[in-house]
Amino acid sequence: MKFIFNKYVVSVIIIFILFEYAICVDYQRYVESNIKKTIEKIDLRFDKAAASVDELIDLKGKTCEEMMLPLQKKVARSSSINSISVIQDGQYFCSSIVGSNISKKSIPEKEIHIKEKNLLTGQPSISYYHRYDDENGLQFYMKEIPLELEDSRFGQISLSNSQYVISKGNVFSIHALTDEKVYSSNKYDFHLLFKYDRWSSIKSYIVDKRLDIVISLLMLILMLALLRILSNTSTRFNFNFYKLRSAIRQNQITPYVQPIVSAKEQIIGGEVLARWIKPCGTIISPLEFIPQMERFGLIGEMTKSILRQLHDSYKNSSHNGLRISVNLTESCLYNDEIYSLCKQLSEKCILVLEFTESTEFENREKITSYMQKFRAIGVKFALDDYGTGYSSLQYLNYYQFDFIKIDKSFIDDIETNSQSLKILENIILLANNLDIKLVAEGVENKNQQQILNELKISSHQGFLYFKPMPLNDFNVIINAK
């Protein structure tokens, strides 16, 4: 009996060892595949930059003014390039953003250049440097490569050029190998540093790889637990869904308006902002309920409710000449009821529909045709949060906007940051050439106001003038004037 018991124990141990070995092999295969795919994703971003080199070869020998437009067009058409700099005779010569007004910094030493602090964004940046020779080349500043550096189930990934390192969250550090494993790109001069978390990997695999009986028991427990979690989650989500839908139908989500003023501080319009006001008077922040609206597909219903409330407020009024701006999503533009409400409202005011850069349009041809449909009834279009989203120049190239709303982040430091001022000057020049009107968001003090007036940005919005207010209060102020 003792022998049989010992044999059983030995068998279990052998099986466990073999099982653990199989886990390790499978785990290593998974890790290698995961890292390879991550490298391929990053390679692809640099490939897109490298493919642009031949297209820009004709820039050699031209002035910076002659280079600017081709560089900007290339950036506008690329989803992975943030800006391009031309290096000539060992110095920075021209930039797609600031032209020839580039700081006298040293040119990159490596093909993949990692910098601790970008002068424009203040954040770490990664760029691809294509060297024609020792003194000349093109530097492509990349978008969002650190987003590829996600923590896996098995450890942490960082990108290094053997000099500096970028980790998840855009964290910059000096390259210093400790216990990380190095995976190199076959195309470009960068490595991925992988730091294993052995206990996490073991726990992950124990859940998935067991003896048949253990797997069956675990699966049963997991299924019961999952059903309970899903049941609770479903109940909770349904409750929130009905609560939000009820709030929309009862007009608890109501329009607030932040006035837009002229250079002489006269109200020329206002941006409509949604606020959820509960029966008890509590005001819920949009940051809390807008993401839930998007998750439940209620944005369209909320937009229709806001437009109805605006129309009810102005239905007995004649055209007041005010610009009333309403935020819209791409899907809302295709809704017939929203079109009908916009048509009615455009008879009472200058209706401006604002799109944000933070969400990329899915169907260029379709949205262009629908924008024309809305223009036919007098609706105008604005690009909100300009400069913070996908590709500002690409949006301006594809879609005919009547207004650009300059994001608050560019206004905040125009008193102290010469780069922000130069960017504003370039935005003004671009807008003037495209016959687009500008609105400055987030104006908070007199110095900002004075600078914007000197730059001839005549439409302002911000706490210096008015905070968002209920629609009725906005109408009282308008009628009083």
Side-chain angles (χ1 to χ4, degrees):
M1 191 74 176
K2 183 177 181 181
F3 172 76
I4 296 174
F5 174 76
N6 288 342
K7 186 177 180 180
Y8 172 76
V9 171
V10 170
S11 299
V12 170
I13 293 173
I14 292 174
I15 291 173
F16 179 78
I17 292 173
L18 292 174
F19 178 65
E20 186 179 48
Y21 175 76
I23 288 175
C24 292
V25 171
D26 191 47
Y27 161 68
Q28 189 62 37
R29 187 183 298 115
Y30 177 87
V31 170
E32 298 288 342
S33 174
N34 192 22
I35 297 294
K36 183 178 179 181
K37 288 178 181 178
T38 302
I39 290 176
E40 288 173 353
K41 288 180 182 179
I42 299 174
D43 280 344
L44 183 60
R45 290 179 178 268
F46 291 129
D47 285 344
K48 293 178 180 179
S52 303
V53 172
D54 291 340
E55 299 176 30
L56 299 174
I57 191 71
D58 294 337
L59 296 182
K60 288 184 177 180
K62 292 187 177 183
T63 65
C64 184
E65 290 74 14
E66 293 171 325
M67 293 180 179
M68 284 287 288
L69 186 57
L71 292 176
Q72 290 174 346
K73 284 184 177 180
K74 174 51 63 179
V75 171
R77 296 190 185 106
S78 173
S79 61
S80 58
I81 300 172
N82 199 39
S83 66
I84 305 173
S85 292
V86 177
I87 294 173
Q88 191 169 293
D89 298 329
Q91 294 182 335
Y92 282 92
F93 180 72
C94 192
S95 164
S96 62
I97 295 180
V98 297
S100 59
N101 299 311
I102 311 176
S103 61
K104 305 299 182 182
K105 53 188 177 182
S106 301
I107 65 173
E109 297 178 0
K110 292 181 173 290
E111 179 185 43
I112 304 304
H113 183 65
I114 298 176
K115 188 174 181 181
E116 180 177 8
K117 189 174 183 182
N118 185 286
L119 292 177
L120 291 178
T121 65
Q123 299 293 321
S125 66
I126 298 178
S127 59
Y128 163 68
Y129 179 46
H130 177 83
R131 190 187 305 273
Y132 291 126
D133 52 46
D134 290 341
E135 299 292 321
N136 300 279
L138 292 172
Q139 188 173 8
F140 299 84
Y141 290 89
M142 311 304 294
K143 290 182 180 178
E144 301 178 343
I145 284 182
L147 293 183
E148 305 288 353
L149 307 177
E150 300 175 349
D151 289 350
S152 72
R153 299 170 66 194
F154 313 108
Q156 298 176 335
I157 300 175
S158 302
L159 186 146
S160 170
N161 65 350
S162 300
Q163 185 178 15
Y164 302 114
V165 178
I166 289 286
S167 304
K168 182 183 178 183
N170 227 14
V171 177
F172 174 90
S173 60
I174 304 297
H175 179 90
L177 281 178
T178 52
D179 57 344
E180 294 101 338
K181 189 170 181 179
V182 178
Y183 296 85
S184 300
S185 167
N186 293 326
K187 287 187 175 182
Y188 300 100
D189 185 21
F190 73 86
H191 322 282
L192 290 188
L193 309 181
F194 188 82
K195 188 173 183 179
Y196 289 94
D197 186 343
R198 187 170 300 278
W199 285 112
S200 294
S201 67
I202 291 174
K203 286 187 289 185
S204 297
Y205 269 92
I206 285 177
V207 173
D208 299 328
K209 305 288 184 179
R210 284 268 192 169
L211 295 173
D212 290 344
I213 297 177
V214 176
I215 289 177
S216 299
L217 291 173
L218 282 176
M219 288 300 296
L220 179 61
I221 294 171
L222 286 172
M223 286 180 64
L224 291 173
L226 183 61
L227 286 173
R228 182 170 182 177
I229 292 171
L230 287 175
S231 176
N232 292 338
T233 302
S234 178
T235 301
R236 185 174 67 252
F237 278 6
N238 283 338
F239 175 74
N240 285 338
F241 170 80
Y242 289 114
K243 184 170 66 173
L244 286 167
R245 192 175 68 173
S246 175
I248 293 172
R249 292 178 175 179
Q250 296 177 25
N251 287 345
Q252 292 178 15
I253 298 180
T254 185
Y256 268 48
V257 182
Q258 184 172 31
I260 300 172
V261 303
S262 66
K264 296 181 180 180
E265 301 189 24
Q266 296 177 333
I267 297 177
I268 57 176
E271 179 182 0
V272 177
L273 307 166
R275 294 290 185 269
W276 183 2
I277 305 177
K278 291 195 168 184
C280 63
T282 302
I283 299 178
I284 307 298
S285 167
L287 297 177
E288 293 186 32
F289 68 85
I290 292 296
Q292 294 187 63
M293 291 284 186
E294 293 173 342
R295 189 185 314 145
F296 298 139
L298 290 172
I299 288 293
E301 293 300 315
M302 183 187 72
T303 302
K304 284 186 277 189
S305 174
I306 293 293
L307 290 171
R308 287 192 202 100
Q309 293 177 66
L310 288 170
H311 177 259
D312 290 344
S313 179
Y314 293 121
K315 64 182 179 181
N316 296 322
S317 304
S318 56
H319 199 294
N320 55 23
L322 287 174
R323 296 195 325 240
I324 301 298
S325 299
V326 179
N327 290 283
L328 212 69
T329 62
E330 180 179 357
S331 61
C332 287
L333 200 66
Y334 309 143
N335 186 286
D336 291 337
E337 190 175 350
I338 288 178
Y339 171 79
S340 178
L341 288 167
C342 288
K343 184 176 181 180
Q344 297 173 37
L345 192 56
S346 64
E347 295 171 358
K348 304 297 181 180
C349 64
I350 301 172
L351 179 60
V352 181
L353 300 181
E354 294 188 9
F355 290 107
T356 178
E357 287 187 301
S358 61
T359 303
E360 188 172 16
F361 293 150
E362 293 183 1
N363 191 320
R364 172 184 166 188
E365 290 73 19
K366 185 176 180 181
I367 199 168
T368 300
S369 66
Y370 271 81
M371 287 175 74
Q372 292 303 322
K373 177 181 176 181
F374 275 75
R375 288 184 191 280
I377 59 174
V379 172
K380 307 289 185 182
F381 289 92
L383 182 58
D384 197 13
D385 301 332
Y386 181 77
T388 63
Y390 281 88
S391 176
S392 307
L393 295 177
Q394 187 179 51
Y395 267 57
L396 297 183
N397 188 35
Y398 289 161
Y399 313 105
Q400 297 177 358
F401 287 99
D402 303 283
F403 301 93
I404 287 176
K405 301 193 75 174
I406 304 171
D407 188 72
K408 181 180 183 297
S409 60
F410 292 101
I411 307 300
D412 286 340
D413 59 353
I414 56 174
E415 304 164 81
T416 56
N417 189 336
S418 61
Q419 293 285 44
S420 290
L421 199 56
K422 290 174 183 177
I423 291 173
L424 277 180
E425 290 171 348
N426 278 275
I427 292 174
I428 294 168
L429 179 62
L430 181 63
N432 288 339
N433 288 335
L434 296 176
D435 195 25
I436 299 176
K437 297 179 178 63
L438 294 172
V439 180
E441 296 183 295
V443 183
E444 296 184 350
N445 61 59
K446 288 290 185 180
N447 289 336
Q448 293 173 346
Q449 179 192 48
Q450 182 179 348
I451 293 172
L452 292 169
N453 286 338
E454 290 173 355
L455 292 172
K456 301 190 183 305
I457 300 178
S458 58
S459 296
H460 302 174
Q461 179 181 348
F463 285 2
L464 174 63
Y465 310 104
F466 297 97
K467 294 182 178 180
M469 63 185 70
L471 177 59
N472 290 337
D473 293 352
F474 174 74
N475 291 335
V476 167
I477 294 176
I478 296 300
N479 294 330
K481 295 185 177 182

